Amino acid sequence: MITPGRQVTEEACQDCLVGSGNERLRQDFPALRQKVHGKPLVYLDNAATSQKPQVVIDTIARYYLSENSNVHRGVHFLSDLATQAYEGARIRVRQFLNATHDREIIFTRGTTDSINLVAHSFGRSRLRAGDEILISAMEHHSNIVPWQMVCEEKGARLRVIPINDAGELILEEYERLLSDRTKLVSVVYVSNALGTINPVRQIIALAHRRGIPVLLDGAQAAPHLRVDVQELDCDFYAFSGHKLFGPTGTGILYGRADLLETMPPYQGGGDMISAVTFEKTIYNSLPYKFEAGTPHIAGAIGLGAAIDYVQRIGLDRIAAYEHDLLAYGTGLLSAIPGLRIIGTAREKAGVLSFVLEGIHAHDVGTILDHEGVAIRAGHHCAMPVMKRFGVPATARASLAFYNTREDLEALAKGLHKVNEVFA
Ligand code: 7TS
């Protein structure tokens, strides 16, 4: 059985993110120690992907060094070891989400893959002409395009909940859009482009009143907010491992067991079957029915290590720390001439999206990069949100618990420099 790697945070976390700040936690992330363009790296692109703690890197390395084997197949020692580690990671994810059953946890390639699974399995088997899928105006493309594809195939319709100028969902409009035609509500929990935390409990309660299931895109919520799928009462929850300090190519679809049971497989192949003849295939039970082929074993185990790591710090502590950091950053950016923050919702997490008057976001990103400050510039795979705010792109700084006030001061200093260059 693979044991968790270096448990550096166990003792470091007695007072991490409160008393001693996050200096000791930062030491767990080797990538943060480097310089870029001769400047210390200030990594503020966490919404795209987060850096990995040493324990995740070590766990993956150890798997390939001494435990590599395929899962659910072998009678030999290593295969048994790999299977136990892989299934151990599933248990960690189940605990992380507070799901009821391990079989409700499906390993995928990421949020995109998780949403596609639901669109292709649930969507294609349930949608009829005239039915509707309800999403919001602040969705990532991965929660738009799969639904468009299935709607086109089935003659169904994609309806969109509008947002206000602060980047908040207009709940009255949402209520108005819910109808007997609505077959699924699929909304983002935390917006990657605006930082808005949506009132998902209310959204779910209103949908459930009509018996409509709800999928939450939790890609940006997972690293910032404690999630309890039973308390939220969502029907599906999707997130990516790589934004949660785990490996790329890993993700999770949580689905309520009774719903998953009724859904057809998404892909066919090995592992998802219990018996095959040329005439008929009997599918495997949950969750394997949805895990065709050799999975990303090392990735799943690495994600398990990332979850252990984050749990040791505690998501409530992370959320409180980042809340203060976001307020500090908002104050700093608001003082920069010509800067407009895009996304000013009352409830926000981890994201500072902005435009500088008369300067393209890509130029902002390039100049900041030369100062060692990594942000993202562009449409953030949320082109409809950009259109809603009348901008082609924004510059976006996105936070993780290892960021500091000094990081945000470096950002602000860099932005003053951008203004000087374009003055
Ligand atoms: N949903 C949201 C809200 C996201 O922010 C992202 C990725 C995805 C879905 C897709 O996740 P994936 O892991 O399957 O690619 N968001 C971003 C971003 O903001 N910058 O780069 C990727």
Side-chain angles (χ1 to χ4, degrees):
M1 183 74 169
I2 289 177
T3 51
R6 223 160 45 100
Q7 302 222 3
V8 278
T9 63
E10 198 90 65
E11 46 153 8
C13 254
Q14 297 302 322
D15 61 353
C16 67
L17 301 184
V18 260
S20 65
N22 60 5
E23 193 42 49
R24 295 182 70 180
L25 292 180
R26 285 177 65 82
Q27 289 168 16
D28 295 336
F29 292 82
L32 295 178
R33 284 179 222 139
Q34 63 193 307
K35 289 187 171 180
V36 296
H37 304 303
K39 308 268 171 62
L41 171 66
V42 173
Y43 189 77
L44 290 169
D45 194 17
N46 295 288
T49 199
S50 55
Q51 298 301 340
K52 318 305 171 203
Q54 188 69 49
V55 65
V56 168
I57 299 165
D58 288 349
T59 301
I60 295 168
R62 194 169 46 248
Y63 169 75
Y64 282 126
L65 283 169
S66 60
E67 292 150 350
N68 176 55
S69 193
N70 212 329
V71 291
H72 305 143
R73 289 164 168 78
V75 289
H76 60 82
F77 180 80
L78 282 189
S79 177
D80 194 35
L81 206 62
T83 304
Q84 281 186 51
Y86 181 73
E87 292 304 329
R90 195 188 310 276
I91 294 168
R92 286 178 169 82
V93 176
R94 194 252 300 149
Q95 289 165 342
F96 179 67
L97 295 177
N98 194 33
T100 315
H101 309 291
D102 294 343
R103 65 179 194 280
E104 297 180 312
I105 306 299
I106 298 159
F107 282 113
T108 66
R109 288 190 302 120
T111 308
T112 305
D113 196 29
S114 299
I115 297 174
N116 273 277
L117 191 164
V118 180
H120 285 263
S121 170
F122 178 89
R124 291 172 90 187
S125 63
R126 301 276 181 108
L127 284 183
R128 305 281 172 268
D131 287 345
E132 294 179 353
I133 299 281
L134 203 47
I135 61 169
S136 86
M138 66 176 92
E139 299 307 324
H140 186 277
H141 296 163
S142 63
N143 198 26
I144 304 173
V145 185
W147 302 116
Q148 278 175 335
M149 290 162 73
V150 69
C151 281
E152 193 174 346
E153 183 183 318
K154 295 290 171 186
R157 195 169 163 210
L158 193 61
R159 306 295 305 269
V160 182
I161 312 160
I163 57 178
N164 65 21
D165 291 341
E168 296 164 326
L169 282 186
I170 304 174
L171 280 173
E172 304 79 62
E173 296 286 330
Y174 167 59
E175 277 199 76
R176 214 175 45 77
L177 283 164
L178 282 171
S179 80
D180 295 343
R181 290 184 299 276
T182 317
K183 291 294 172 288
L184 182 79
V185 174
S186 188
V187 289
V188 71
Y189 192 167
V190 175
S191 156
N192 69 317
L194 305 171
T196 309
I197 303 176
N198 281 317
V200 290
R201 285 172 189 77
Q202 243 174 307
I203 291 170
I204 292 165
L206 286 166
H208 282 182
R209 216 178 278 170
R210 288 176 171 270
I212 303 163
V214 179
L215 182 153
L216 293 182
D217 170 352
Q220 299 295 345
H224 304 295
L225 303 176
R226 191 166 57 80
V227 167
D228 179 331
V229 292
Q230 291 189 64
E231 187 256 320
L232 285 173
D233 201 24
C234 57
D235 302 277
F236 299 106
Y237 191 92
F239 72 90
S240 299
H242 70 97
K243 296 183 200 285
L244 186 64
F245 317 101
T248 54
T250 64
I252 295 296
L253 175 69
Y254 156 81
R256 251 182 38 219
D258 57 336
L259 262 176
L260 291 176
E261 293 286 5
T262 64
M263 288 161 50
Y266 167 42
Q267 293 179 321
D271 235 22
M272 53 74 72
I273 55 89
S274 62
V276 178
T277 64
F278 287 120
E279 289 69 40
K280 187 175 168 56
T281 290
I282 299 167
Y283 302 132
N284 206 341
S285 54
L286 288 177
Y288 311 110
K289 183 171 83 171
F290 292 108
E291 291 182 4
T294 300
H296 186 357
I297 304 164
I301 296 168
L303 175 56
I307 286 176
D308 280 348
Y309 180 85
V310 168
Q311 299 274 59
R312 283 199 291 274
I313 303 170
L315 270 154
D316 288 334
R317 201 159 12 185
I318 289 173
Y321 175 81
E322 291 180 352
H323 188 267
D324 285 353
L325 204 57
L326 184 67
Y328 185 69
T330 305
L332 284 180
L333 293 200
S334 304
I336 291 170
L339 188 144
R340 174 160 73 105
I341 293 179
I342 306 290
T344 50
R346 277 157 293 180
E347 298 292 330
K348 273 187 72 172
V351 170
L352 282 161
S353 226
F354 56 91
V355 288
L356 268 182
E357 203 181 333
I359 307 172
H360 196 281
H362 283 120
D363 293 329
V364 176
T366 305
I367 294 172
L368 288 176
D369 179 50
H370 282 93
E371 300 301 311
V373 180
I375 61 149
R376 186 171 170 193
H379 53 62
H380 317 294
C381 301
M383 286 171 104
V385 186
M386 299 295 115
K387 194 171 170 205
R388 167 65 180 78
F389 285 90
V391 293
T394 72
R396 181 191 68 184
S398 52
L399 309 177
F401 64 79
Y402 46 61
N403 288 123
T404 58
R405 288 184 169 217
E406 290 73 30
D407 288 345
L408 293 167
E409 285 157 11
L411 169 68
K413 198 168 154 219
L415 289 171
H416 282 293
K417 197 157 190 169
V418 174
N419 267 340
E420 279 164 28
V421 170
F422 283 87

